[in-house]
Amino acid sequence: MVKRDTASAVFGGEMTQTPYKILVVDDEPDLEHLMRQRMRRDVRSGLYTLYFAQNGVEALERLNEVPDIGMVLSDINMPRMDGLTLLAQIPNIAPDIRAVVVSAYGDMKNIRTAMNRGAFDFITKPIDFQDLRVTIERTLKNMEEWREALESRDKLVRLQNELNVASKMQQSILPTEFPDSDHCEIYANMEPAREVGGDFFDVFGLPGGKIALAIADVSDKGVPAALFMMSSRTLLKGSAIGAVEPGAVLKEVNDLLTEENEAAMFVTTFYAVYNPQTGQVDYSNGGHNPPLVVHPDGSSTLLPGTDGLALGVFPGVNFGQSAVMLSPGDLLLLYTDGVTEAMNADGEEFGMDRLQAVFSDAPPVSTEAANKAVFKAVHEFAGETPQSDDITCVTVLQRQA
Amino acid sequence: MEISVDRANEVLIAKVEGRIDGANAREFEDALNGAIGEDDSKVLLDFSTLSYISSAGLRVILLIARLLQKRNAAFALCSLSDPIREVFEISGFDKIISIHDSQAEAVDKIGS
């Protein structure tokens, strides 16, 4: 639609815009002449363009021929099709046209019918041109406001759709089936924040019966973060299948992500190669929260860091790696900062201590139960405070080595 | 989130108060870009009154660091509380951005 400054256009400011188009419908042949004469200044200055029709049928034809008519000024009693019938038809052609009816003085019955059929206003005959001018200004202003409101709504709907796309992308890349064998049990899930966030995890098989484990958190939110997440995840999987050492995998992904990263997005990533037969976990930590190993007695230890940096920040850096052995009954818990940085009403963070306390009295019996226990503790802590970040956990239970 | 700006020894010192998260990271970015003048060649962010920073906030720090690096300007942070320092340590950002214990120490290091 044509955007314009309603106030200056309607109330006689400088005219630089195309004129408003007004369709006048009346079966009195004299009216066209009268209107052209009385409105000639406004027409000449480019404020309005007038179109005329002698009845409802002609009016509908005119509306079909001329685009962007903003207002219809219509008599009620006319041959072929009267004004009230016309009113009922207008929304089918152009829903945001404003109609003003012209009726005989005191003809309340028709006026009420017209208003009920969606007329914006009415004026009475004989036409008082001063009143008509005010009515036209008011009507066109209302139409402009309506159009602007519609435009804002459309923008909002588009934005909402975009966010839904991002959220679907995020959900679609997360695996939903996990290894479950004599040696190990794995479970992972994510509770997305209302605004689409950037957490993802991955669990997939590697040669030799090993299993790749990854958890990551993309900085920022929204569609760009979701796209960055998609490419991070694809690059990680690609590298993981090519390289053996976790440090080498993160280095390769980092170099690829930093190549073109004007937006300075980054992704904290913990990546591990897990051998269920031996319980050995080789890992490299790219700036992610340190995972936790929970022992059968409920005590837990943090995995030492590997001198890493979030991926996408700096090209060419090397990523160290380390290893940990899971004993039977040990549970490896990978999580994102949506867990430890969940806040309560007092602005306190959930934190590491509370995370470790989840298991101190009740060591987990299964990976799914472990995740549920963490989510429950986080939700109980946060109370009514809205969740601002995705909450993600990946857990591995070593059954026997 | 509030930013107050001061200058000492040719160092632009921006003190950040409150929290920086996904909701106001953009505002933080605009405020910093507005505070840092074209001629500023030494920039210090004082985090003594910063209560929280999310990864969206870290991204803004990274953007500013890159921008200043491009024009060979010095950039440092100071006075991080323990939880905030931990965020920088876990993400590895402490490896690419210099962090000082106090404003005086930082100004001493990067000032002229």
Side-chain angles (χ1 to χ4, degrees):
Chain A
M1 81 162 240
V2 187
K3 177 97 180 141
R4 62 171 120 200
D5 184 336
T6 312
S8 71
V10 174
F11 301 110
E14 266 183 56
M15 281 309 306
T16 51
Q17 303 286 350
T18 49
Y20 284 101
K21 296 174 182 172
I22 301 172
L23 175 62
V24 182
V25 192
D26 201 304
D27 59 338
E28 277 180 49
D30 291 347
L31 185 74
E32 176 169 348
H33 180 71
L34 191 64
M35 284 284 289
R36 287 202 189 281
Q37 195 194 26
R38 292 300 188 97
M39 306 278 290
R40 66 181 183 282
R41 260 195 219 108
D42 295 328
V43 171
R44 209 182 299 140
S45 70
L47 191 53
Y48 307 128
T49 306
L50 300 177
Y51 298 85
F52 292 89
Q54 303 228 325
N55 55 59
V57 176
E58 269 184 37
L60 290 176
E61 284 169 10
R62 211 63 86 241
L63 286 173
N64 275 318
E65 291 160 13
V66 184
D68 300 330
I69 286 180
M71 174 178 169
V72 171
L73 179 70
S74 178
D75 189 14
I76 290 179
N77 296 315
M78 294 178 292
R80 290 182 73 193
M81 184 193 284
D82 66 18
L84 295 177
T85 311
L86 172 65
L87 264 182
Q89 297 286 325
I90 286 177
N92 300 330
I93 299 176
D96 53 356
I97 283 185
R98 292 288 178 270
V100 171
V101 290
V102 186
S103 80
Y105 181 78
D107 184 5
M108 257 315 148
K109 188 165 173 290
N110 275 330
I111 289 171
R112 281 309 316 158
T113 308
M115 298 303 277
N116 287 340
R117 292 192 181 177
F120 177 73
D121 202 351
F122 67 93
I123 56 171
T124 52
K125 283 182 174 181
I127 294 175
D128 168 351
F129 278 86
Q130 185 53 38
D131 180 41
L132 175 63
R133 199 167 276 118
V134 172
T135 305
I136 289 174
E137 284 172 2
R138 214 168 61 81
T139 307
L140 291 175
K141 187 162 186 280
N142 175 277
M143 182 202 65
E144 277 293 327
E145 283 167 358
W146 167 256
R147 284 187 177 169
E148 276 164 25
L150 278 185
E151 229 185 316
S152 313
R153 189 203 57 182
D154 289 350
K155 266 189 207 149
L156 208 63
V157 169
R158 266 202 305 279
L159 202 65
Q160 193 57 49
N161 287 342
E162 257 184 44
L163 289 174
N164 288 341
V165 168
S167 159
K168 277 191 191 128
M169 278 200 292
Q170 185 185 27
Q171 291 286 351
S172 71
I173 65 169
L174 301 178
T176 50
E177 287 185 22
F178 307 103
D180 187 355
S181 70
D182 291 345
H183 294 289
C184 75
E185 179 193 85
I186 296 177
Y187 187 78
N189 67 323
M190 179 194 71
E191 284 191 0
R194 217 162 58 107
E195 187 189 359
V196 64
D199 281 11
F200 74 89
F201 58 81
D202 214 347
V203 178
F204 53 92
L206 291 172
K210 291 180 181 173
I211 296 168
L213 306 168
I215 190 164
D217 183 0
V218 175
S219 59
D220 225 341
K221 292 181 164 64
V223 175
L227 289 169
F228 195 79
M229 170 173 63
M230 293 293 273
S231 51
S232 306
R233 183 256 187 179
T234 309
L235 291 173
L236 185 71
K237 199 159 187 173
S239 301
I241 287 163
V244 184
E245 304 292 342
V249 171
L250 290 195
K251 180 179 167 47
E252 189 176 338
V253 176
N254 179 57
D255 286 345
L256 291 166
L257 283 178
T258 41
E259 256 174 31
E260 280 175 30
N261 187 10
E262 282 301 306
M265 278 202 228
F266 60 87
V267 54
T268 69
T269 311
F270 177 90
Y271 174 68
V273 175
Y274 166 56
N275 185 341
Q277 276 103 37
T278 61
Q280 181 162 330
V281 180
D282 294 296
Y283 67 92
S284 181
N285 192 341
H288 196 79
N289 299 65
L292 209 57
V293 177
V294 182
H295 306 294
D297 65 355
S299 68
S300 53
T301 44
L302 284 176
L303 288 192
T306 55
D307 196 29
L309 174 65
L311 276 55
V313 174
F314 209 77
V317 292
N318 287 315
F319 289 79
Q321 66 180 56
S322 192
V324 64
M325 281 298 248
L326 298 182
S327 304
D330 278 352
L331 181 109
L332 174 66
L333 172 70
L334 322 181
Y335 58 92
T336 56
D337 60 10
V339 173
T340 44
E341 291 179 15
M343 287 211 178
N344 66 10
D346 297 329
E348 293 170 318
E349 290 184 8
F350 185 70
M352 274 312 299
D353 293 345
R354 287 190 186 83
L355 179 58
Q356 291 185 278
V358 170
F359 301 108
S360 55
D361 295 329
V365 288
S366 79
T367 49
E368 190 171 349
N371 284 20
K372 277 195 178 140
V374 172
F375 287 121
K376 185 164 169 270
V378 169
H379 291 315
E380 280 175 5
F381 172 78
E384 298 290 303
T385 311
Q387 180 188 339
S388 66
D389 203 358
D390 298 341
I391 302 178
T392 307
C393 286
V394 178
T395 42
V396 179
L397 180 65
Q398 184 69 40
R399 285 194 167 131
Q400 62 181 60
Chain B
M1 192 263 311
E2 295 284 335
I3 293 185
S4 52
V5 175
D6 199 7
R7 281 192 170 76
N9 263 3
E10 293 181 18
V11 180
L12 173 98
I13 304 166
K15 193 167 180 178
V16 189
E17 193 177 334
R19 44 181 289 136
I20 307 165
D21 54 26
N24 66 5
R26 189 61 197 268
E27 186 193 331
F28 176 55
E29 184 181 344
D30 291 345
L32 279 184
N33 278 320
I36 300 170
E38 299 250 326
D39 301 329
D40 282 310
S41 65
K42 288 154 189 175
V43 176
L44 174 66
L45 299 188
D46 183 330
F47 280 174
S48 55
T49 49
L50 181 69
S51 58
Y52 173 80
I53 187 164
S54 77
S55 62
L58 285 185
R59 195 180 138 243
V60 175
I61 302 287
L62 180 61
L63 277 168
I64 298 293
R66 283 191 181 176
L67 180 87
L68 292 172
Q69 193 188 24
K70 266 186 198 153
R71 48 186 230 214
N72 287 319
F75 179 55
L77 312 177
C78 73
S79 316
L80 282 63
S81 65
D82 287 344
I84 302 235
R85 183 177 276 270
E86 199 179 277
V87 170
F88 278 82
E89 284 169 358
I90 288 177
S91 60
F93 273 51
D94 60 332
K95 295 183 186 67
I96 55 159
I97 293 166
S98 45
I99 297 176
H100 302 280
D101 287 339
S102 69
Q103 199 186 99
E105 182 195 307
V107 171
D108 195 42
K109 266 267 162 37
I110 65 173
S112 56

